[in-house]
Amino acid sequence: MGTITSVGISSGIDIGGIVTAMVDAESAAKIARFDVNEGAINAKISGIGALKSAMDEFYSKLETLGKADTFGSQKVSTSTKDYLSATVDKTAVSGSYQVKVEQLAQSQKVGSAIAADVTSAIGEGSLSIAVGSGTAFDIDVSATDSLTDIMQKINDAEDNTDVTATIVNGEAGPQLVLGSKNTGEDNLISVTATDTGAGTGLSDTFTMTELTPAKNAIAYIDGVKVVSQSNDMNEVITGVSLTLKDADINQTTTVTVSQDSDTTKTAIEEFVESYNSLMGTIQNLTSYDADTKAAGVLQGDSLPRSIQNQLRSMVSNSFDTSEGSQMLANFGVTTTREGLLEVDSDKLSEAIENNQTAISELFSAEDTGLAAKMSSMVDTYTQTGGILDSRDATLDEQLSRLDDSRVKLNERMQALSDRLYKQFNAMDSIIGSLNTQSSMLLSRLDSLPGMVKE
């Protein structure tokens, strides 16, 4: 194989420069076209990503609109937070309730007899411990177990779910104290000690004395006495639960339940804002500025326009409710000339206040409401393996094919470069041979008789 050189040895021609220029001339237009196509495909991938992100955000707002709790929900407030807190569900009835807390629920604590110390053996046997009507659990006490060992065994027992054991080192000496984990008079602690070794040390020690009595919570709601095992009074009023925090029978807390219009209004306003944001994203991706001749990366693409048209059609449709056919415009949500939504705040507030059922059914009716229909449509585009994922896959495939074309072009240009070097080197060799022959001819001519060099 001939040697490839950059400069012709015989001709002095810049073979490398000529070959490079010829290869570049052959490939430049194709590389430029590849670069343009790659840039356009990447821009489309970015555009599809921006569209999917905007649709995902819009979908999250639709999920809120599709929940029944967004409409017709209630809210609760208390005149003071010192004595209780309150929560409500949508079944609560609007109104005010006067609440007085007489007594907080309290768990019982019982103590053992005073022991000599916490490390001395108590006595062999077993303990059976129960709380209220619950199932008792048993502890085996060995002849060497101390008060500390017994405490540990009680706390570590797998079937112990109701009591905790601690040691209190009082003035007279240490005592093991059992406390119920549950409040109320139904959760009294019982301890039965059985001696199996010599003496009655275990039963003598575990003759329990009440240290803290169990108490039920007592409150008065509009004068009606309510008793509870715990400080959490669930559904003590229809749809209203109270958590008692402090007791003073002379103090009244006013609990007020009212319609939570703010949650509904905020959800609708956020839906409108997200819808307009999505429409703005589509507009930016598909627009064309005649003055600057700048086009959006998805300009001319039917996909975003199809999404836009479907959504616009849905917001202008009417929906069947128990109060007749209704449209968004009936509740203060109208479409502008630009195809965006705008909210008449006063009209929307009035509709939420006076037409709760219809507005709830329009938005959140299962399968037939606006939120359900829009969610279904958006999901076909954004779900894994959906239309947008399919478009992404198509664009990725185009990039892959473009990379293959670049590889093939490089291979062709390398073959062209090798061929040109071979041809120019052959030419250079011929020139060298001709130069040699010319020198020989001139030398012979000079040696002929009568030939004189000038």
PDB file of all heavy atoms in Angstrom, residues 47 73 90 153 176 183 194 234 238 245 261 268 289 301 317-318 325 431 450-451 453:
ATOM      1  N   GLY A  47     -40.426  20.971  23.226  1.00  0.00           N
ATOM      2  CA  GLY A  47     -41.796  21.488  23.173  1.00  0.00           C
ATOM      3  C   GLY A  47     -42.805  20.490  23.699  1.00  0.00           C
ATOM      4  O   GLY A  47     -43.728  20.847  24.442  1.00  0.00           O
ATOM      5  N   SER A  73     -68.450  21.323  51.273  1.00  0.00           N
ATOM      6  CA  SER A  73     -67.753  21.041  52.525  1.00  0.00           C
ATOM      7  C   SER A  73     -68.079  22.116  53.561  1.00  0.00           C
ATOM      8  O   SER A  73     -68.512  23.225  53.218  1.00  0.00           O
ATOM      9  CB  SER A  73     -66.241  20.973  52.296  1.00  0.00           C
ATOM     10  OG  SER A  73     -65.757  22.176  51.744  1.00  0.00           O
ATOM     11  N   LYS A  90     -68.414  16.905  55.795  1.00  0.00           N
ATOM     12  CA  LYS A  90     -69.450  17.590  55.006  1.00  0.00           C
ATOM     13  C   LYS A  90     -70.864  17.332  55.515  1.00  0.00           C
ATOM     14  O   LYS A  90     -71.825  17.986  55.078  1.00  0.00           O
ATOM     15  CB  LYS A  90     -69.332  17.203  53.539  1.00  0.00           C
ATOM     16  CG  LYS A  90     -69.630  15.771  53.214  1.00  0.00           C
ATOM     17  CD  LYS A  90     -69.432  15.508  51.721  1.00  0.00           C
ATOM     18  CE  LYS A  90     -70.303  16.401  50.876  1.00  0.00           C
ATOM     19  NZ  LYS A  90     -70.097  16.185  49.424  1.00  0.00           N
ATOM     20  N   LYS A 153     -39.673  -6.667  81.880  1.00  0.00           N
ATOM     21  CA  LYS A 153     -40.459  -7.762  81.317  1.00  0.00           C
ATOM     22  C   LYS A 153     -41.867  -7.300  80.943  1.00  0.00           C
ATOM     23  O   LYS A 153     -42.423  -7.714  79.912  1.00  0.00           O
ATOM     24  CB  LYS A 153     -40.538  -8.928  82.306  1.00  0.00           C
ATOM     25  CG  LYS A 153     -39.251  -9.746  82.391  1.00  0.00           C
ATOM     26  CD  LYS A 153     -39.443 -10.967  83.278  1.00  0.00           C
ATOM     27  CE  LYS A 153     -38.200 -11.872  83.249  1.00  0.00           C
ATOM     28  NZ  LYS A 153     -38.387 -13.089  84.063  1.00  0.00           N
ATOM     29  N   LEU A 176     -43.063   0.234  91.782  1.00  0.00           N
ATOM     30  CA  LEU A 176     -43.331   0.032  90.362  1.00  0.00           C
ATOM     31  C   LEU A 176     -44.717   0.589  90.057  1.00  0.00           C
ATOM     32  O   LEU A 176     -45.698   0.231  90.727  1.00  0.00           O
ATOM     33  CB  LEU A 176     -43.261  -1.453  90.000  1.00  0.00           C
ATOM     34  CG  LEU A 176     -43.315  -1.756  88.489  1.00  0.00           C
ATOM     35  CD1 LEU A 176     -42.416  -2.944  88.144  1.00  0.00           C
ATOM     36  CD2 LEU A 176     -44.738  -2.034  88.024  1.00  0.00           C
ATOM     37  N   THR A 183     -57.388   6.313  78.341  1.00  0.00           N
ATOM     38  CA  THR A 183     -58.091   7.076  79.371  1.00  0.00           C
ATOM     39  C   THR A 183     -59.484   6.490  79.602  1.00  0.00           C
ATOM     40  O   THR A 183     -59.969   5.662  78.845  1.00  0.00           O
ATOM     41  CB  THR A 183     -58.204   8.552  78.949  1.00  0.00           C
ATOM     42  OG1 THR A 183     -58.901   8.618  77.689  1.00  0.00           O
ATOM     43  CG2 THR A 183     -56.838   9.195  78.816  1.00  0.00           C
ATOM     44  N   THR A 194     -49.220 -14.325  91.635  1.00  0.00           N
ATOM     45  CA  THR A 194     -49.253 -15.712  92.135  1.00  0.00           C
ATOM     46  C   THR A 194     -47.842 -16.136  92.528  1.00  0.00           C
ATOM     47  O   THR A 194     -46.916 -16.063  91.713  1.00  0.00           O
ATOM     48  CB  THR A 194     -49.784 -16.665  91.047  1.00  0.00           C
ATOM     49  OG1 THR A 194     -51.085 -16.227  90.630  1.00  0.00           O
ATOM     50  CG2 THR A 194     -49.860 -18.091  91.564  1.00  0.00           C
ATOM     51  N   ASN A 234     -65.636  11.972  69.167  1.00  0.00           N
ATOM     52  CA  ASN A 234     -65.924  11.855  67.749  1.00  0.00           C
ATOM     53  C   ASN A 234     -67.419  11.853  67.485  1.00  0.00           C
ATOM     54  O   ASN A 234     -68.180  11.149  68.153  1.00  0.00           O
ATOM     55  CB  ASN A 234     -65.296  10.571  67.188  1.00  0.00           C
ATOM     56  CG  ASN A 234     -63.781  10.584  67.313  1.00  0.00           C
ATOM     57  OD1 ASN A 234     -63.147  11.613  67.094  1.00  0.00           O
ATOM     58  ND2 ASN A 234     -63.201   9.444  67.671  1.00  0.00           N
ATOM     59  N   THR A 238     -73.519  15.947  65.000  1.00  0.00           N
ATOM     60  CA  THR A 238     -73.511  15.407  63.642  1.00  0.00           C
ATOM     61  C   THR A 238     -72.418  16.071  62.801  1.00  0.00           C
ATOM     62  O   THR A 238     -72.424  17.281  62.587  1.00  0.00           O
ATOM     63  CB  THR A 238     -74.874  15.631  62.970  1.00  0.00           C
ATOM     64  OG1 THR A 238     -75.882  15.001  63.744  1.00  0.00           O
ATOM     65  CG2 THR A 238     -74.870  15.051  61.555  1.00  0.00           C
ATOM     66  N   LYS A 245     -59.068  19.980  75.554  1.00  0.00           N
ATOM     67  CA  LYS A 245     -57.686  20.327  75.906  1.00  0.00           C
ATOM     68  C   LYS A 245     -57.543  20.796  77.348  1.00  0.00           C
ATOM     69  O   LYS A 245     -56.510  20.612  77.981  1.00  0.00           O
ATOM     70  CB  LYS A 245     -57.182  21.431  74.970  1.00  0.00           C
ATOM     71  CG  LYS A 245     -57.117  20.982  73.522  1.00  0.00           C
ATOM     72  CD  LYS A 245     -57.159  22.144  72.534  1.00  0.00           C
ATOM     73  CE  LYS A 245     -55.960  23.033  72.640  1.00  0.00           C
ATOM     74  NZ  LYS A 245     -55.978  24.103  71.615  1.00  0.00           N
ATOM     75  N   SER A 261     -67.094  28.015  51.652  1.00  0.00           N
ATOM     76  CA  SER A 261     -67.122  28.507  50.273  1.00  0.00           C
ATOM     77  C   SER A 261     -65.721  28.758  49.741  1.00  0.00           C
ATOM     78  O   SER A 261     -65.481  28.659  48.527  1.00  0.00           O
ATOM     79  CB  SER A 261     -67.935  29.814  50.203  1.00  0.00           C
ATOM     80  OG  SER A 261     -69.242  29.614  50.671  1.00  0.00           O
ATOM     81  N   ILE A 268     -61.851  26.355  41.979  1.00  0.00           N
ATOM     82  CA  ILE A 268     -62.294  26.803  40.651  1.00  0.00           C
ATOM     83  C   ILE A 268     -61.337  27.846  40.090  1.00  0.00           C
ATOM     84  O   ILE A 268     -60.975  27.808  38.898  1.00  0.00           O
ATOM     85  CB  ILE A 268     -63.732  27.363  40.723  1.00  0.00           C
ATOM     86  CG1 ILE A 268     -64.704  26.227  41.081  1.00  0.00           C
ATOM     87  CG2 ILE A 268     -64.136  28.011  39.405  1.00  0.00           C
ATOM     88  CD1 ILE A 268     -66.119  26.679  41.337  1.00  0.00           C
ATOM     89  N   ASP A 289     -44.889  34.598  14.314  1.00  0.00           N
ATOM     90  CA  ASP A 289     -44.800  36.058  14.309  1.00  0.00           C
ATOM     91  C   ASP A 289     -44.422  36.511  12.908  1.00  0.00           C
ATOM     92  O   ASP A 289     -43.294  36.295  12.451  1.00  0.00           O
ATOM     93  CB  ASP A 289     -43.750  36.527  15.323  1.00  0.00           C
ATOM     94  CG  ASP A 289     -43.790  38.028  15.546  1.00  0.00           C
ATOM     95  OD1 ASP A 289     -44.022  38.754  14.560  1.00  0.00           O
ATOM     96  OD2 ASP A 289     -43.573  38.465  16.687  1.00  0.00           O
ATOM     97  N   ASP A 301     -48.032  21.822  13.818  1.00  0.00           N
ATOM     98  CA  ASP A 301     -48.264  20.475  14.344  1.00  0.00           C
ATOM     99  C   ASP A 301     -49.724  20.374  14.793  1.00  0.00           C
ATOM    100  O   ASP A 301     -50.212  21.203  15.570  1.00  0.00           O
ATOM    101  CB  ASP A 301     -47.325  20.213  15.523  1.00  0.00           C
ATOM    102  CG  ASP A 301     -47.295  18.755  15.945  1.00  0.00           C
ATOM    103  OD1 ASP A 301     -48.340  18.092  15.852  1.00  0.00           O
ATOM    104  OD2 ASP A 301     -46.224  18.288  16.370  1.00  0.00           O
ATOM    105  N   ASN A 317     -69.344  23.699  26.675  1.00  0.00           N
ATOM    106  CA  ASN A 317     -70.490  22.782  26.660  1.00  0.00           C
ATOM    107  C   ASN A 317     -71.399  23.022  27.858  1.00  0.00           C
ATOM    108  O   ASN A 317     -71.001  23.619  28.868  1.00  0.00           O
ATOM    109  CB  ASN A 317     -70.007  21.324  26.684  1.00  0.00           C
ATOM    110  CG  ASN A 317     -69.471  20.867  25.343  1.00  0.00           C
ATOM    111  OD1 ASN A 317     -69.722  21.507  24.323  1.00  0.00           O
ATOM    112  ND2 ASN A 317     -68.723  19.774  25.341  1.00  0.00           N
ATOM    113  N   SER A 318     -72.611  22.497  27.762  1.00  0.00           N
ATOM    114  CA  SER A 318     -73.537  22.497  28.897  1.00  0.00           C
ATOM    115  C   SER A 318     -73.540  21.108  29.518  1.00  0.00           C
ATOM    116  O   SER A 318     -73.238  20.119  28.857  1.00  0.00           O
ATOM    117  CB  SER A 318     -74.948  22.880  28.438  1.00  0.00           C
ATOM    118  OG  SER A 318     -75.413  21.973  27.453  1.00  0.00           O
ATOM    119  N   SER A 325     -79.924  22.011  32.854  1.00  0.00           N
ATOM    120  CA  SER A 325     -78.686  22.153  32.100  1.00  0.00           C
ATOM    121  C   SER A 325     -77.929  23.396  32.564  1.00  0.00           C
ATOM    122  O   SER A 325     -78.503  24.479  32.694  1.00  0.00           O
ATOM    123  CB  SER A 325     -79.012  22.253  30.603  1.00  0.00           C
ATOM    124  OG  SER A 325     -77.840  22.360  29.841  1.00  0.00           O
ATOM    125  N   ILE A 431       4.822  12.298 -11.520  1.00  0.00           N
ATOM    126  CA  ILE A 431       5.585  13.525 -11.720  1.00  0.00           C
ATOM    127  C   ILE A 431       7.042  13.301 -11.362  1.00  0.00           C
ATOM    128  O   ILE A 431       7.970  13.743 -12.040  1.00  0.00           O
ATOM    129  CB  ILE A 431       4.983  14.670 -10.886  1.00  0.00           C
ATOM    130  CG1 ILE A 431       3.621  15.061 -11.449  1.00  0.00           C
ATOM    131  CG2 ILE A 431       5.918  15.889 -10.859  1.00  0.00           C
ATOM    132  CD1 ILE A 431       2.873  16.097 -10.621  1.00  0.00           C
ATOM    133  N   GLY A 450      29.657  18.501 -29.850  1.00  0.00           N
ATOM    134  CA  GLY A 450      29.217  19.761 -30.461  1.00  0.00           C
ATOM    135  C   GLY A 450      28.151  20.477 -29.673  1.00  0.00           C
ATOM    136  O   GLY A 450      27.739  21.584 -30.034  1.00  0.00           O
ATOM    137  N   MET A 451      27.654  19.854 -28.556  1.00  0.00           N
ATOM    138  CA  MET A 451      26.651  20.534 -27.743  1.00  0.00           C
ATOM    139  C   MET A 451      27.366  21.388 -26.699  1.00  0.00           C
ATOM    140  O   MET A 451      28.210  20.930 -25.969  1.00  0.00           O
ATOM    141  CB  MET A 451      25.765  19.504 -27.008  1.00  0.00           C
ATOM    142  CG  MET A 451      24.908  18.675 -27.971  1.00  0.00           C
ATOM    143  SD  MET A 451      23.691  19.642 -28.864  1.00  0.00           S
ATOM    144  CE  MET A 451      22.636  20.138 -27.539  1.00  0.00           C
ATOM    145  N   LYS A 453      26.778  24.252 -23.642  1.00  0.00           N
ATOM    146  CA  LYS A 453      25.781  24.903 -22.772  1.00  0.00           C
ATOM    147  C   LYS A 453      25.910  26.407 -22.894  1.00  0.00           C
ATOM    148  O   LYS A 453      26.995  26.960 -22.923  1.00  0.00           O
ATOM    149  CB  LYS A 453      26.028  24.512 -21.305  1.00  0.00           C
ATOM    150  CG  LYS A 453      25.652  23.078 -21.017  1.00  0.00           C
ATOM    151  CD  LYS A 453      25.817  22.814 -19.556  1.00  0.00           C
ATOM    152  CE  LYS A 453      25.439  21.380 -19.231  1.00  0.00           C
ATOM    153  NZ  LYS A 453      25.596  21.085 -17.793  1.00  0.00           N
TER     154      LYS A 453
END
